[in-house]
Amino acid sequence: MAKLRVGVVSPEREIWSGEADMVIAKTVDGEIGIMPQHAPVLGVLVEGGVLRVKREGEGDLVAAVHGGFISVAENEVSVLAEVAELGSEVDVAAARDALDRAQASIEANQEDADASIEAKRARARLRAAGEEV
């Protein structure tokens, strides 16, 4: 069966690259699943989304992805994230602390946009690490 060539990068570094059977990402238009032979597409990734890369014979690769783009063409998937972090790299205690701080700020000021973004990012990091949110 055909495979996808997948690359996940952020401005700081290459997060991951390799072959996959399927990629699932959340875009501003909804969740998208990409398999080999997918039609070309360009999507805008949501803030605080989780990217899942399914690989035969291996566990899923999961990453917290905060904004950016996903591009699909000729069995190649490029994820160009503003910020991204593999679930295996997440400091769970720090993510929970960030979520608690953000929620406290939101409770104090419902219109705190920065706290809302921080809460989305912390939740995504925790989901990527396999934690309940």
PDB file of all heavy atoms in Angstrom, residues 58-78:
ATOM      1  N   GLU A  58       3.377   0.732  14.407  1.00  0.00           N
ATOM      2  CA  GLU A  58       3.932   1.620  15.430  1.00  0.00           C
ATOM      3  C   GLU A  58       2.786   2.395  16.059  1.00  0.00           C
ATOM      4  O   GLU A  58       1.712   2.521  15.483  1.00  0.00           O
ATOM      5  CB  GLU A  58       4.913   2.623  14.817  1.00  0.00           C
ATOM      6  CG  GLU A  58       6.119   1.990  14.147  1.00  0.00           C
ATOM      7  CD  GLU A  58       7.060   3.037  13.602  1.00  0.00           C
ATOM      8  OE1 GLU A  58       7.479   3.911  14.381  1.00  0.00           O
ATOM      9  OE2 GLU A  58       7.357   2.991  12.404  1.00  0.00           O
ATOM     10  N   GLY A  59       3.016   2.942  17.233  1.00  0.00           N
ATOM     11  CA  GLY A  59       2.003   3.782  17.858  1.00  0.00           C
ATOM     12  C   GLY A  59       1.828   5.073  17.087  1.00  0.00           C
ATOM     13  O   GLY A  59       2.690   5.472  16.302  1.00  0.00           O
ATOM     14  N   ASP A  60       0.698   5.708  17.313  1.00  0.00           N
ATOM     15  CA  ASP A  60       0.451   7.001  16.679  1.00  0.00           C
ATOM     16  C   ASP A  60       1.446   8.029  17.188  1.00  0.00           C
ATOM     17  O   ASP A  60       1.801   8.039  18.361  1.00  0.00           O
ATOM     18  CB  ASP A  60      -0.956   7.512  17.011  1.00  0.00           C
ATOM     19  CG  ASP A  60      -2.057   6.683  16.367  1.00  0.00           C
ATOM     20  OD1 ASP A  60      -1.746   5.749  15.601  1.00  0.00           O
ATOM     21  OD2 ASP A  60      -3.228   6.984  16.636  1.00  0.00           O
ATOM     22  N   LEU A  61       1.865   8.891  16.302  1.00  0.00           N
ATOM     23  CA  LEU A  61       2.663  10.046  16.678  1.00  0.00           C
ATOM     24  C   LEU A  61       1.667  11.175  16.916  1.00  0.00           C
ATOM     25  O   LEU A  61       0.816  11.434  16.061  1.00  0.00           O
ATOM     26  CB  LEU A  61       3.626  10.421  15.553  1.00  0.00           C
ATOM     27  CG  LEU A  61       4.472  11.643  15.864  1.00  0.00           C
ATOM     28  CD1 LEU A  61       5.865  11.193  16.240  1.00  0.00           C
ATOM     29  CD2 LEU A  61       4.493  12.584  14.709  1.00  0.00           C
ATOM     30  N   VAL A  62       1.724  11.789  18.074  1.00  0.00           N
ATOM     31  CA  VAL A  62       0.767  12.841  18.422  1.00  0.00           C
ATOM     32  C   VAL A  62       1.550  14.102  18.775  1.00  0.00           C
ATOM     33  O   VAL A  62       2.548  14.041  19.493  1.00  0.00           O
ATOM     34  CB  VAL A  62      -0.118  12.406  19.612  1.00  0.00           C
ATOM     35  CG1 VAL A  62      -1.166  13.460  19.911  1.00  0.00           C
ATOM     36  CG2 VAL A  62      -0.781  11.064  19.332  1.00  0.00           C
ATOM     37  N   ALA A  63       1.065  15.240  18.269  1.00  0.00           N
ATOM     38  CA  ALA A  63       1.734  16.511  18.545  1.00  0.00           C
ATOM     39  C   ALA A  63       0.698  17.599  18.785  1.00  0.00           C
ATOM     40  O   ALA A  63      -0.363  17.615  18.154  1.00  0.00           O
ATOM     41  CB  ALA A  63       2.628  16.907  17.376  1.00  0.00           C
ATOM     42  N   ALA A  64       1.019  18.496  19.693  1.00  0.00           N
ATOM     43  CA  ALA A  64       0.227  19.716  19.889  1.00  0.00           C
ATOM     44  C   ALA A  64       0.701  20.707  18.832  1.00  0.00           C
ATOM     45  O   ALA A  64       1.903  20.932  18.683  1.00  0.00           O
ATOM     46  CB  ALA A  64       0.445  20.271  21.290  1.00  0.00           C
ATOM     47  N   VAL A  65      -0.237  21.250  18.080  1.00  0.00           N
ATOM     48  CA  VAL A  65       0.092  22.163  16.988  1.00  0.00           C
ATOM     49  C   VAL A  65      -0.714  23.442  17.179  1.00  0.00           C
ATOM     50  O   VAL A  65      -1.931  23.400  17.323  1.00  0.00           O
ATOM     51  CB  VAL A  65      -0.229  21.518  15.626  1.00  0.00           C
ATOM     52  CG1 VAL A  65       0.057  22.476  14.497  1.00  0.00           C
ATOM     53  CG2 VAL A  65       0.556  20.223  15.447  1.00  0.00           C
ATOM     54  N   HIS A  66      -0.016  24.560  17.167  1.00  0.00           N
ATOM     55  CA  HIS A  66      -0.656  25.843  17.436  1.00  0.00           C
ATOM     56  C   HIS A  66      -0.542  26.746  16.217  1.00  0.00           C
ATOM     57  O   HIS A  66       0.446  27.448  16.047  1.00  0.00           O
ATOM     58  CB  HIS A  66      -0.029  26.505  18.656  1.00  0.00           C
ATOM     59  CG  HIS A  66       0.104  25.560  19.815  1.00  0.00           C
ATOM     60  ND1 HIS A  66      -0.980  25.024  20.455  1.00  0.00           N
ATOM     61  CD2 HIS A  66       1.186  25.037  20.407  1.00  0.00           C
ATOM     62  CE1 HIS A  66      -0.564  24.216  21.412  1.00  0.00           C
ATOM     63  NE2 HIS A  66       0.748  24.211  21.396  1.00  0.00           N
ATOM     64  N   GLY A  67      -1.550  26.691  15.369  1.00  0.00           N
ATOM     65  CA  GLY A  67      -1.582  27.530  14.178  1.00  0.00           C
ATOM     66  C   GLY A  67      -0.633  27.044  13.104  1.00  0.00           C
ATOM     67  O   GLY A  67       0.155  26.126  13.298  1.00  0.00           O
ATOM     68  N   GLY A  68      -0.763  27.627  11.943  1.00  0.00           N
ATOM     69  CA  GLY A  68       0.080  27.280  10.816  1.00  0.00           C
ATOM     70  C   GLY A  68      -0.756  26.719   9.678  1.00  0.00           C
ATOM     71  O   GLY A  68      -1.953  27.002   9.563  1.00  0.00           O
ATOM     72  N   PHE A  69      -0.116  25.896   8.848  1.00  0.00           N
ATOM     73  CA  PHE A  69      -0.752  25.378   7.644  1.00  0.00           C
ATOM     74  C   PHE A  69      -0.459  23.901   7.467  1.00  0.00           C
ATOM     75  O   PHE A  69       0.560  23.399   7.938  1.00  0.00           O
ATOM     76  CB  PHE A  69      -0.229  26.124   6.406  1.00  0.00           C
ATOM     77  CG  PHE A  69      -0.498  27.590   6.441  1.00  0.00           C
ATOM     78  CD1 PHE A  69       0.424  28.462   6.980  1.00  0.00           C
ATOM     79  CD2 PHE A  69      -1.679  28.099   5.936  1.00  0.00           C
ATOM     80  CE1 PHE A  69       0.170  29.828   7.031  1.00  0.00           C
ATOM     81  CE2 PHE A  69      -1.945  29.454   5.978  1.00  0.00           C
ATOM     82  CZ  PHE A  69      -1.018  30.321   6.523  1.00  0.00           C
ATOM     83  N   ILE A  70      -1.353  23.227   6.741  1.00  0.00           N
ATOM     84  CA  ILE A  70      -1.112  21.858   6.310  1.00  0.00           C
ATOM     85  C   ILE A  70      -1.298  21.847   4.795  1.00  0.00           C
ATOM     86  O   ILE A  70      -2.244  22.447   4.269  1.00  0.00           O
ATOM     87  CB  ILE A  70      -2.042  20.841   7.013  1.00  0.00           C
ATOM     88  CG1 ILE A  70      -1.669  19.412   6.611  1.00  0.00           C
ATOM     89  CG2 ILE A  70      -3.508  21.141   6.761  1.00  0.00           C
ATOM     90  CD1 ILE A  70      -2.303  18.342   7.485  1.00  0.00           C
ATOM     91  N   SER A  71      -0.355  21.217   4.126  1.00  0.00           N
ATOM     92  CA  SER A  71      -0.374  21.151   2.673  1.00  0.00           C
ATOM     93  C   SER A  71      -0.274  19.690   2.250  1.00  0.00           C
ATOM     94  O   SER A  71       0.543  18.941   2.792  1.00  0.00           O
ATOM     95  CB  SER A  71       0.813  21.938   2.108  1.00  0.00           C
ATOM     96  OG  SER A  71       0.961  21.707   0.729  1.00  0.00           O
ATOM     97  N   VAL A  72      -1.103  19.298   1.280  1.00  0.00           N
ATOM     98  CA  VAL A  72      -1.100  17.925   0.777  1.00  0.00           C
ATOM     99  C   VAL A  72      -0.968  17.973  -0.733  1.00  0.00           C
ATOM    100  O   VAL A  72      -1.733  18.680  -1.406  1.00  0.00           O
ATOM    101  CB  VAL A  72      -2.410  17.188   1.147  1.00  0.00           C
ATOM    102  CG1 VAL A  72      -2.384  15.763   0.620  1.00  0.00           C
ATOM    103  CG2 VAL A  72      -2.647  17.218   2.640  1.00  0.00           C
ATOM    104  N   ALA A  73      -0.010  17.223  -1.271  1.00  0.00           N
ATOM    105  CA  ALA A  73       0.164  17.112  -2.718  1.00  0.00           C
ATOM    106  C   ALA A  73       1.019  15.881  -3.015  1.00  0.00           C
ATOM    107  O   ALA A  73       2.066  15.690  -2.395  1.00  0.00           O
ATOM    108  CB  ALA A  73       0.827  18.359  -3.285  1.00  0.00           C
ATOM    109  N   GLU A  74       0.549  15.041  -3.922  1.00  0.00           N
ATOM    110  CA  GLU A  74       1.311  13.882  -4.402  1.00  0.00           C
ATOM    111  C   GLU A  74       1.852  13.015  -3.268  1.00  0.00           C
ATOM    112  O   GLU A  74       3.048  12.705  -3.220  1.00  0.00           O
ATOM    113  CB  GLU A  74       2.437  14.347  -5.326  1.00  0.00           C
ATOM    114  CG  GLU A  74       1.912  15.072  -6.546  1.00  0.00           C
ATOM    115  CD  GLU A  74       3.025  15.594  -7.450  1.00  0.00           C
ATOM    116  OE1 GLU A  74       4.185  15.163  -7.289  1.00  0.00           O
ATOM    117  OE2 GLU A  74       2.705  16.427  -8.299  1.00  0.00           O
ATOM    118  N   ASN A  75       0.974  12.608  -2.350  1.00  0.00           N
ATOM    119  CA  ASN A  75       1.324  11.742  -1.214  1.00  0.00           C
ATOM    120  C   ASN A  75       2.342  12.369  -0.262  1.00  0.00           C
ATOM    121  O   ASN A  75       3.033  11.658   0.463  1.00  0.00           O
ATOM    122  CB  ASN A  75       1.818  10.369  -1.679  1.00  0.00           C
ATOM    123  CG  ASN A  75       0.685   9.514  -2.181  1.00  0.00           C
ATOM    124  OD1 ASN A  75      -0.471   9.710  -1.801  1.00  0.00           O
ATOM    125  ND2 ASN A  75       0.992   8.565  -3.024  1.00  0.00           N
ATOM    126  N   GLU A  76       2.439  13.669  -0.290  1.00  0.00           N
ATOM    127  CA  GLU A  76       3.319  14.367   0.639  1.00  0.00           C
ATOM    128  C   GLU A  76       2.490  15.329   1.483  1.00  0.00           C
ATOM    129  O   GLU A  76       1.715  16.118   0.958  1.00  0.00           O
ATOM    130  CB  GLU A  76       4.406  15.129  -0.110  1.00  0.00           C
ATOM    131  CG  GLU A  76       5.447  15.687   0.820  1.00  0.00           C
ATOM    132  CD  GLU A  76       6.738  16.039   0.104  1.00  0.00           C
ATOM    133  OE1 GLU A  76       7.113  15.326  -0.837  1.00  0.00           O
ATOM    134  OE2 GLU A  76       7.348  17.039   0.503  1.00  0.00           O
ATOM    135  N   VAL A  77       2.662  15.223   2.802  1.00  0.00           N
ATOM    136  CA  VAL A  77       1.949  16.086   3.741  1.00  0.00           C
ATOM    137  C   VAL A  77       2.978  16.949   4.459  1.00  0.00           C
ATOM    138  O   VAL A  77       3.897  16.423   5.087  1.00  0.00           O
ATOM    139  CB  VAL A  77       1.147  15.254   4.769  1.00  0.00           C
ATOM    140  CG1 VAL A  77       0.431  16.176   5.749  1.00  0.00           C
ATOM    141  CG2 VAL A  77       0.169  14.319   4.076  1.00  0.00           C
ATOM    142  N   SER A  78       2.801  18.247   4.366  1.00  0.00           N
ATOM    143  CA  SER A  78       3.685  19.183   5.060  1.00  0.00           C
ATOM    144  C   SER A  78       2.861  19.940   6.091  1.00  0.00           C
ATOM    145  O   SER A  78       1.842  20.544   5.751  1.00  0.00           O
ATOM    146  CB  SER A  78       4.307  20.178   4.079  1.00  0.00           C
ATOM    147  OG  SER A  78       5.109  19.511   3.133  1.00  0.00           O
TER     148      SER A  78
END
